[in-house]
Amino acid sequence: MSSTKDNKLIWKLTPDIIKKSADDLMTKTKTVYDTVGALSSESVTYNSVVKALADNDCEYAVVRNNLDFMQHVSPDKDLRNSSVEVDKKLSEFDVEMSMRQDVFDALVAFEKKSSTDGSTESKRYVERMIKLGRRNGLHLPTDKQQKIKEIKKRMSDLSIDFSKNLNEENTILTFTEEELAGVPEDFLKSLEKNEDGKLKVSLKYPHYFPCMKKARNPETRKKLETAFNSRCLKPNTAILEELVELRSQKADILGFPTHAAFVLDMRMAKDPEKVRTFLVDLAQKLRPLQEQEVKVYLEYKKEECDKYGYEYDGKIHYWDLRYYMTMTEERQYAVDSNLLKEYFPMEVVTTGLLDIYQELLDLKFTQVKDVEVWHPEVTLYSVVDRESSNLLGYFYLDLYPREGKYGHAACFGLQPGCIQPDGKRQITVAAMVANFTKPTEDKPALLTHDEVETYFHEFGHVMHQICAQSEFALFSGTSVERDFVEAPSQMLENWCWEKEPLQRMSKHYKTGEAIPDHLLDKLIKSRIANAGMFNLRQILLGMFDQTIHTQKKVDTAKLFSEISQEYLGFPSTEGTNMSASFGHLAGGYDAQYYGYMWSEVFCNEWKLDKDIIYLQEHIGKGMC
């Protein structure tokens, strides 16, 4: 096995190793906190308080991330379960340490004693730690602190369970080939069959989205959409609604009117009213586009129903949305997504994408072979700064779905880039985890353009992790304000809509030919297709998130359906609750999902306005 310099992560883990590593980590960290907490106000210094805590942060984060990452990616169910168990234990420990009155008092004493020691970033570290202490109630009476501690521990356990339920979800539906009419032949051939000869379709992205985009039979789409938006329905609905109540209770104890107000106090937006105004104003700009798009969808639906003998009810439902959005792209922009996919084999996309990022950021990536990883499909690359030749870090790519794996696409920061206890820089290690279309016996993995864009977006987070050069783990990588964190990736993903980068990331999987110019031109023009509906769906999610977090108690299924009616023009499918599988709301984006649209406008405002104006000008001219 090759060695990787300064990569402290290990993957030859067992349940016993995970448990022992967690216990050792807690013992070591408690010793540090006990030492800091025992200091008198007269004896606090930069080294004894700030450096001691920051050094522990640096070392703690690596082991902590290593252990709880396994619940998202390990192919071993026992290892995943051990990771979940340890994550809960460490999360409770994190709450205990974050609410150490003695450590908080030491930080306050240091700030009062010396405002000149250390760098600008160290001053920000002290200010942030004190503010976080106050947000944990350390300025309040002991009984209120205890209540906050209990709430935080419960919320942590619930969030971990929410994620585990989604990762372990493995529903399989079966259909005849006739029921999947319209779905590309090569996709149908890739599906396994059950003992009755029916095709097995999972709810993982590489199965679900191709069916929803192309399956002609509305009953097939309805069955799939109902199942998809009913994932983990019972357990996760209960978890989310309890989280809403607990978050509201904690905000109330801390003197905030709502959980949204509590969260936004630390964000760029600052208050819920500003977020609400932002979302409502943007929705109003998009309404005319959406109204015209829905007219087109209904025209297509009536035509389809007349042609194939389906009942036409004059409505668009959730199970219709992706189907008619895809039809709009194909008819109005002549985009053949199945043909385009042939020009995006995974190996070519990966090579082109990595070349573009290396050129943009003046970096050099080198694949590290024969290295220890958590699954045979995982690859590892080193990252070197071309100008200085310094090793900046490593990134792992884990790109295909498997049972028990995290079901979305995300970048996980594993080893923060920061200053180590010895004064040297700790390199960054990150992992990109995705669920792209897998290769088959006769074809390589062929990506849709949507998947290419997702790849570029998530890899932007990887680069944000690795290129950031902070001193403190607290501020490393993507540890920026949550409503800014998406901006760099959203800015960088624009390359997926430019001709030259697309040519560099594509080549026909059989012939090696470049994408013809006419296909590229159509693809690039199609970016504005469905802009009204697509963006209003993002606004719906942001508004739902804000609304539940300005209430003390909520019926999430009922509320999501009502807000869907308001922003999309149709309610949720009966018996579903999309929010039960809305992982962001239990995974750190609570009261912050608006950040996607906020960052989109923030990083690309000129383009969004241009697209809206262009579409408004072309309404009624056959374009939209």
Side-chain angles (χ1 to χ4, degrees):
M1 287 285 182
S2 298
S3 62
T4 51
K5 183 184 177 184
D6 298 328
N7 180 351
K8 301 172 183 177
L9 300 156
I10 59 171
W11 304 115
K12 286 185 177 178
L13 295 167
T14 65
D16 286 342
I17 290 174
I18 286 179
K19 184 178 183 303
K20 185 179 185 308
S21 296
D23 289 341
D24 291 346
L25 184 63
M26 288 186 287
T27 298
K28 185 176 180 180
T29 298
K30 187 175 183 303
T31 299
V32 172
Y33 275 64
D34 286 347
T35 302
V36 173
L39 295 169
S40 67
S41 57
E42 294 77 24
S43 62
V44 295
T45 64
Y46 179 84
N47 285 339
S48 66
V49 178
V50 180
K51 189 176 187 304
L53 293 173
D55 287 349
N56 184 75
D57 290 346
C58 175
E59 296 179 338
Y60 181 86
V62 180
V63 181
R64 176 77 163 89
N65 293 337
N66 199 164
L67 298 181
D68 67 31
F69 181 58
M70 298 311 293
Q71 68 189 279
H72 302 294
V73 296
S74 175
D76 185 326
K77 187 176 177 66
D78 289 340
L79 210 58
R80 294 197 302 271
N81 288 339
S82 295
S83 176
V84 168
E85 183 183 331
V86 160
D87 190 10
K88 288 184 175 181
K89 192 172 182 180
L90 286 169
S91 294
E92 287 196 9
F93 177 76
D94 291 344
V95 172
E96 290 285 349
M97 294 302 103
S98 70
M99 297 190 67
R100 288 279 297 258
Q101 184 73 56
D102 52 356
V103 174
F104 176 75
D105 291 342
L107 283 160
V108 172
F110 172 76
E111 186 181 47
K112 288 179 180 177
K113 184 176 180 182
S114 177
S115 59
T116 58
D117 284 2
S119 64
T120 301
E121 189 175 328
S122 69
K123 292 183 179 65
R124 184 168 184 250
Y125 177 84
V126 174
E127 290 170 0
R128 179 58 62 92
M129 292 293 284
I130 291 173
K131 183 159 188 175
L132 291 174
R134 290 183 172 275
R135 287 169 66 81
N136 283 328
L138 294 179
H139 61 301
L140 297 176
T142 306
D143 60 328
K144 291 188 176 182
Q145 290 185 30
Q146 184 58 35
K147 181 61 177 174
I148 290 171
K149 188 182 294 185
E150 291 168 3
I151 289 172
K152 288 189 69 173
K153 286 181 177 180
R154 177 62 179 162
M155 289 195 303
S156 177
D157 283 351
L158 289 170
S159 295
I160 292 167
D161 285 341
F162 191 101
S163 175
K164 179 179 184 291
N165 292 339
L166 285 176
N167 289 348
E168 299 294 337
E169 194 283 326
N170 59 359
T171 300
I172 298 290
L173 304 180
T174 59
F175 299 96
T176 63
E177 288 196 20
E178 184 181 1
E179 289 172 323
L180 290 173
V183 176
E185 188 67 27
D186 63 335
F187 174 79
L188 294 180
K189 287 180 179 178
S190 73
L191 298 176
E192 295 179 10
K193 293 183 178 180
N194 69 0
E195 59 276 7
D196 298 327
K198 287 189 174 183
L199 299 169
K200 296 164 72 173
V201 179
S202 76
L203 300 179
K204 305 300 182 186
Y205 289 4
H207 278 193
Y208 177 73
F209 289 120
C211 291
M212 294 307 294
K213 289 177 178 181
K214 297 296 289 183
R216 180 188 306 148
N217 189 324
E219 286 303 314
T220 297
R221 298 197 307 271
K222 181 178 180 180
K223 185 176 178 181
L224 272 164
E225 186 270 325
T226 300
F228 187 77
N229 285 325
S230 299
R231 287 174 297 159
C232 309
L233 180 67
K234 189 173 181 180
N236 279 4
T237 295
I239 287 173
L240 181 57
E241 292 179 0
E242 185 177 350
L243 281 171
V244 168
E245 291 184 46
L246 292 170
R247 288 165 178 167
S248 177
Q249 289 171 23
K250 181 163 73 76
D252 185 58
I253 294 169
L254 290 166
F256 289 88
T258 64
H259 178 67
F262 168 77
V263 168
L264 294 174
D265 180 56
M266 293 281 281
R267 301 293 173 253
M268 295 169 68
K270 293 303 177 190
D271 67 77
E273 190 53 42
K274 188 177 290 184
V275 171
R276 187 172 190 85
T277 299
F278 164 73
L279 293 173
V280 168
D281 287 353
L282 192 54
Q284 287 175 345
K285 289 182 180 181
L286 292 162
R287 289 269 186 220
L289 309 181
Q290 180 210 26
E291 289 169 3
Q292 184 61 26
E293 287 163 4
V294 171
K295 287 180 183 177
V296 173
Y297 301 159
L298 288 170
E299 288 173 11
Y300 291 163
K301 182 171 181 177
K302 186 171 191 314
E303 181 185 318
E304 283 267 298
C305 290
D306 290 346
K307 183 176 180 179
Y308 296 108
Y310 302 128
E311 181 183 350
Y312 177 69
D313 60 5
K315 300 175 183 177
I316 293 296
H317 305 279
Y318 259 99
W319 61 85
D320 293 323
L321 194 55
R322 290 189 187 274
Y323 183 73
Y324 291 109
M325 287 173 79
T326 301
M327 192 175 289
T328 297
E329 292 175 8
E330 292 176 345
R331 292 195 181 186
Q332 297 191 354
Y333 297 89
V335 173
D336 185 336
S337 56
N338 210 45
L339 176 60
L340 268 174
K341 193 167 63 172
E342 295 182 0
Y343 290 90
F344 291 119
M346 174 64 83
E347 187 175 341
V348 174
V349 173
T350 299
T351 300
L353 179 148
L354 296 183
D355 284 347
I356 289 168
Y357 270 101
Q358 287 175 94
E359 186 176 323
L360 280 173
L361 302 173
D362 201 22
L363 302 171
K364 181 183 178 183
F365 304 153
T366 304
Q367 186 172 353
V368 184
K369 300 286 185 71
D370 300 319
V371 69
E372 185 181 309
V373 289
W374 56 88
H375 189 275
E377 292 175 346
V378 176
T379 53
L380 176 69
Y381 292 79
S382 64
V383 181
V384 170
D385 178 74
R386 284 190 186 275
E387 185 177 347
S388 67
S389 297
N390 290 335
L391 175 68
L392 298 181
Y394 297 93
F395 62 84
Y396 295 92
L397 298 178
D398 185 355
L399 303 177
Y400 301 116
R402 58 180 176 269
E403 187 174 346
K405 181 183 167 185
Y406 178 80
H408 195 50
C411 168
F412 291 81
L414 300 176
Q415 181 171 299
C418 57
I419 302 302
Q420 300 177 121
D422 63 5
K424 296 178 182 177
R425 172 160 290 279
Q426 177 171 280
I427 63 164
T428 306
V429 183
M432 180 182 157
V433 177
N435 287 271
F436 295 137
T437 305
K438 295 189 76 166
T440 61
E441 288 183 4
D442 58 344
K443 286 183 182 179
L446 300 177
L447 305 188
T448 65
H449 182 260
D450 284 348
E451 289 179 314
V452 174
E453 189 174 19
T454 297
Y455 198 164
F456 220 91
H457 176 96
E458 296 302 338
F459 195 77
H461 287 310
V462 172
M463 290 296 95
H464 190 174
Q465 291 278 8
I466 289 177
C467 293
Q469 296 289 293
S470 63
E471 297 174 40
F472 293 82
L474 184 65
F475 305 125
S476 65
T478 55
S479 299
V480 295
E481 307 307 354
R482 181 70 77 172
D483 49 6
F484 177 79
V485 74
E486 298 298 333
S489 282
Q490 288 176 321
M491 195 181 303
L492 288 161
E493 75 184 41
N494 285 322
W495 291 107
C496 296
W497 295 97
E498 299 288 337
K499 199 166 189 175
E500 193 258 343
L502 283 170
Q503 289 170 331
R504 291 173 63 172
M505 290 189 288
S506 61
K507 187 186 295 182
H508 195 277
Y509 80 99
K510 282 185 178 177
T511 67
E513 294 176 355
I515 301 182
D517 283 349
H518 72 278
L519 281 182
L520 271 181
D521 291 340
K522 289 172 182 175
L523 172 64
I524 292 166
K525 286 179 182 177
S526 75
R527 186 175 192 179
I528 56 176
N530 306 301
M533 186 63 81
F534 177 84
N535 286 297
L536 276 166
R537 183 178 179 276
Q538 284 294 89
I539 290 171
L540 150 68
L541 298 178
M543 191 62 80
F544 172 77
D545 174 34
Q546 285 296 302
T547 303
I548 65 173
H549 289 119
T550 53
Q551 298 183 13
K552 296 183 182 299
K553 193 171 183 177
V554 66
D555 179 335
T556 53
K558 181 172 181 290
L559 182 66
F560 189 89
S561 190
E562 290 170 354
I563 297 180
S564 179
Q565 178 71 59
E566 181 180 354
Y567 284 93
L568 299 189
F570 47 86
S572 302
T573 303
E574 188 175 351
T576 68
N577 183 9
M578 179 272 173
S579 65
S581 56
F582 193 179
H584 291 75
L585 299 190
Y589 272 79
D590 43 296
Q592 299 164 89
Y593 193 83
Y594 74 91
Y596 281 95
M597 290 305 299
W598 182 276
S599 294
E600 181 80 18
V601 173
F602 186 78
C603 78
N604 212 12
E605 185 172 1
W606 66 273
K607 191 197 165 304
L608 190 63
D609 284 346
K610 183 178 73 173
D611 286 351
I612 290 172
I613 292 167
Y614 177 84
L615 286 161
Q616 287 172 336
E617 288 174 349
H618 287 78
I619 286 176
K621 298 182 182 178
M623 288 293 292
C624 257

